[in-house]
Amino acid sequence: MHKYALIAILSLACISSCIEKEPPMEESGVPVFSISGMANGIPVQLSAGVNNYYMSTGFTKESYDLHVFKGALKPNGCATCGPALNIYVRNYTTRFPYSIDSAITIGHYPYFDQRNPIESHYQLSCYSNAVGTGTPAISWDFGNNRFSTETNPVVIFPVAGIYPITCTAVFPGGCFSELNQPVYLTPSRVGKTTNFTINYPDTLSLLFNSIPVNPNAIVSWDFGDGNIAQGSIVQHTYTTGGMYKVCMEYITGSDTMQLCKNVNTLDISKCKTNFSFTSELITDSLHLSHVVVEWIDTNGVLYSSGNLTQSSASNFEVTGVGEYQVNELGQRTRKLTILLNCSVSNGVQTIELKNITGTFAIAYP
């Protein structure tokens, strides 16, 4: 296969069935495919065609018509030598006719834990509601070392928690606005949403109307100027005009939830950002669209993410997708740019792969 032809992403179960192809001949030029980052605190950079490294691509099909892609960036002629990186992605391929667009797309992928027959994770869909002149540049901080510049990103959280999420908008001309608020991804709160409306009797006196998930909830307000109140409908008068972060909190028994908005008292249309979201708990017995990362160190020791429960800081993101050339098997390939952070273990020792970025390729039907 072409010396730059990437990493095919297969399942752990198909490793033994994969036959390594003849490695490509050395060529000159800038490598198309490479990775760089930190492995166990040590900087690493691997490039296809440099220092006898190469990448291979391929895929297999498991039961339930699931395709599994594998990629390996490793030294030529030695399957157990390192440093080397293997990536496996199990993808949704239950749509017919099969389309790569339904399998490998831009976005976040959860890690596969091969110890658990059924795996659950939280999926959060965020929606930017920025107001101002011109089209703003949107950025997100999801409170767990994950970031995005999409307007309406969809993010996977493998661990339940309350995440402080920030949405920032920068408008043409330099107008800057951001909103930070907690998002509750827990079993009792997932899927629940709340909201409140704002009416302007005059420029300083505002009327707030809650839309809680439970009409019997205790509703309290923080108006962002040091004043608070209780009640499902409240009116508040500000002494000076400006931008205020108003937070509504409702309590039902031991359950608490909060929603915040930026509010401008003098100019409704003035530059500001807000965001809304929906959440759901995804239960997957087939481990579809899950990732396993393997690292082989310089001593040939194999470490895998597949036998660990990853922390909320672990992530695997495809940040770019584009068509690439056909490989030697006549399979179409796509070029991917990726970012990954995860823990990997050899059963005795655990190490961290941090900020691994690179360009890979996958083969597909």
Side-chain angles (χ1 to χ4, degrees):
M1 72 177 32
H2 191 281
K3 101 177 184 179
Y4 295 146
L6 168 71
I7 244 184
I9 306 180
L10 306 167
S11 118
L12 293 176
C14 76
I15 297 176
S16 61
S17 66
C18 301
I19 301 175
E20 290 297 336
K21 301 300 177 183
E22 190 71 22
M25 297 177 62
E26 290 290 329
E27 298 177 6
S28 60
V30 177
V32 175
F33 303 106
S34 64
I35 63 101
S36 63
M38 303 288 290
N40 201 27
I42 300 173
V44 295
Q45 182 167 350
L46 309 178
S47 299
V50 176
N51 296 327
N52 206 32
Y53 273 78
Y54 76 104
M55 308 194 84
S56 60
T57 59
F59 63 86
T60 59
K61 188 168 75 170
E62 294 186 334
S63 57
Y64 304 102
D65 292 309
L66 302 180
H67 283 84
V68 188
F69 306 92
K70 172 196 171 187
L73 176 54
K74 59 187 178 181
N76 177 14
C78 183
T80 59
C81 295
L85 181 71
N86 302 327
I87 298 176
Y88 307 78
V89 179
R90 300 163 53 84
N91 274 277
Y92 289 103
T93 57
T94 53
R95 302 181 189 179
F96 294 96
Y98 174 76
S99 168
I100 189 65
D101 294 317
S102 67
I104 299 295
T105 60
I106 292 175
H108 295 271
Y109 292 71
Y111 282 93
F112 172 68
D113 187 344
Q114 58 195 13
R115 302 169 302 170
N116 298 324
I118 298 179
E119 196 261 8
S120 298
H121 61 270
Y122 295 87
Q123 180 170 292
L124 182 71
S125 300
C126 298
Y127 309 94
S128 170
N129 307 125
V131 175
T133 302
T135 302
I138 303 295
S139 61
W140 298 84
D141 181 342
F142 297 107
N144 62 350
N145 293 323
R146 295 191 193 180
F147 308 90
S148 177
T149 56
E150 298 177 62
T151 302
N152 302 314
V154 177
V155 187
I156 291 170
F157 293 78
V159 180
I162 302 174
Y163 294 89
I165 295 181
T166 301
C167 181
T168 302
V170 179
F171 289 85
C175 181
F176 169 91
S177 177
E178 71 176 20
L179 175 69
N180 175 275
Q181 65 171 311
V183 172
Y184 299 78
L185 298 177
T186 61
S188 65
R189 298 165 181 166
V190 66
K192 296 179 180 179
T193 59
T194 189
N195 200 357
F196 63 85
T197 60
I198 309 162
N199 293 309
Y200 291 75
D202 60 52
T203 55
L204 292 177
S205 181
L206 278 64
L207 183 67
F208 300 93
N209 187 351
S210 69
I211 310 174
V213 68
N214 188 327
N216 299 317
I218 299 173
V219 182
S220 61
W221 301 85
D222 182 337
F223 299 111
D225 63 351
N227 291 291
I228 59 175
Q230 279 196 354
S232 59
I233 302 176
V234 297
Q235 185 166 348
H236 179 66
T237 300
Y238 291 91
T239 57
T240 59
M243 188 78 72
Y244 297 92
K245 179 182 176 182
V246 178
C247 294
M248 179 194 73
E249 183 177 76
Y250 72 85
I251 302 173
T252 54
S254 60
D255 195 14
T256 301
M257 205 165 186
Q258 186 183 79
L259 178 73
C260 301
K261 292 184 180 182
N262 282 325
V263 176
N264 191 284
T265 61
L266 296 180
D267 184 356
I268 298 175
S269 63
K270 186 175 181 180
C271 155
K272 63 177 177 286
T273 187
N274 287 300
F275 70 89
S276 57
F277 56 87
T278 58
S279 62
E280 58 182 317
L281 181 64
I282 306 296
T283 300
D284 174 19
S285 61
L286 296 176
H287 296 280
L288 303 173
S289 286
H290 281 52
V291 175
V292 172
V293 171
E294 292 180 344
W295 178 255
I296 302 175
D297 68 13
T298 54
N299 296 317
V301 178
L302 175 65
Y303 296 80
S304 174
S305 66
N307 54 7
L308 292 171
T309 299
Q310 298 292 321
S311 72
S312 61
S314 295
N315 68 306
F316 186 97
E317 182 180 6
V318 176
T319 59
V321 179
E323 290 299 316
Y324 196 61
Q325 63 195 35
V326 174
N327 68 15
E328 69 170 4
L329 300 178
Q331 299 167 338
R332 294 171 293 176
T333 64
R334 271 194 170 187
K335 182 166 63 174
L336 311 177
T337 54
I338 67 164
L339 165 66
L340 71 88
N341 291 273
C342 68
S343 302
V344 291
S345 173
N346 65 354
V348 177
Q349 180 185 8
T350 298
I351 65 174
E352 301 295 323
L353 302 181
K354 292 187 176 181
N355 296 322
I356 302 292
T357 60
T359 304
F360 290 88
I362 59 165
Y364 65 96

